[in-house]
Amino acid sequence: MHVSEILGGKGNAVATITGAINVAEAVAELKGHGVGALVVSNDGAGVNGILSERDVVRELASQGAGLLDQPVSSIMTADVLTCTPENTAEELMALMTSHRIRHLPVLVDEKLAGIVSIGDVVKARLTDLEEESRHLQGYIQQSW
């Protein structure tokens, strides 16, 4: 399954924030949107970074509560891995596993076109495997 198909099923809405807001506001946005990561975009179209719950927890453990007043840009991941609608679920699984990440923004012509989580990728792979199993069962039944 391709990323375009995954987005077709879940939609292409992406929760974004700017790097200037403080971490406390970003945490409220994470909760409000019910997501595990926010794309940091100063113009709503490009990707300047990504902020995940894991980023917040790691920095909170090392910096303490004072972190909440800092700008998101101080703790976001600036070197963001991305994908395109043409990538496959298998490619995303490999990328996410090797880099230990859970979210990939989707870009089309360098513009934000969606976001895919590890949950989306696992769901897509399970759908692919179920379809393959049905095809194999049909083939076996026709062969008898």
Side-chain angles (χ1 to χ4, degrees):
M1 182 176 293
H2 289 89
V3 170
S4 58
E5 295 170 88
I6 295 171
L7 291 179
K10 73 171 264 185
N12 61 353
V14 182
T16 63
I17 55 172
T18 67
I21 71 167
N22 68 36
V23 174
E25 293 171 295
V27 168
E29 289 289 318
L30 285 165
K31 180 182 178 191
H33 290 286
V35 296
L38 298 164
V39 173
V40 180
S41 176
N42 294 331
D43 62 5
V47 176
N48 301 98
I50 193 164
L51 179 74
S52 72
E53 293 169 327
R54 292 166 106 186
D55 295 328
V56 174
V57 169
R58 285 180 183 143
E59 291 299 321
L60 194 56
S62 64
Q63 296 186 39
L67 167 75
L68 298 174
D69 295 324
Q70 293 182 29
V72 164
S73 60
S74 69
I75 68 164
M76 71 181 189
T77 300
D79 188 18
V80 182
L81 294 174
T82 62
C83 64
T84 69
E86 293 78 29
N87 286 115
T88 65
E90 293 88 356
E91 292 169 335
L92 269 55
M93 285 180 79
L95 187 63
M96 290 174 157
T97 300
S98 66
H99 291 278
R100 299 180 52 96
I101 58 174
R102 296 178 182 203
H103 301 87
L104 284 170
V106 182
L107 298 182
V108 174
D109 297 327
E110 300 299 316
K111 292 193 170 120
L112 194 55
I115 191 164
V116 179
S117 72
I118 189 69
D120 299 328
V121 173
V122 169
K123 182 179 176 184
R125 271 307 281 147
L126 287 174
T127 300
D128 284 346
L129 292 172
E130 288 169 358
E131 185 176 330
E132 183 179 324
S133 175
R134 280 194 302 275
H135 281 76
L136 289 172
Q137 288 173 358
Y139 175 76
I140 290 169
Q141 288 174 354
Q142 288 176 355
S143 298
W144 291 100

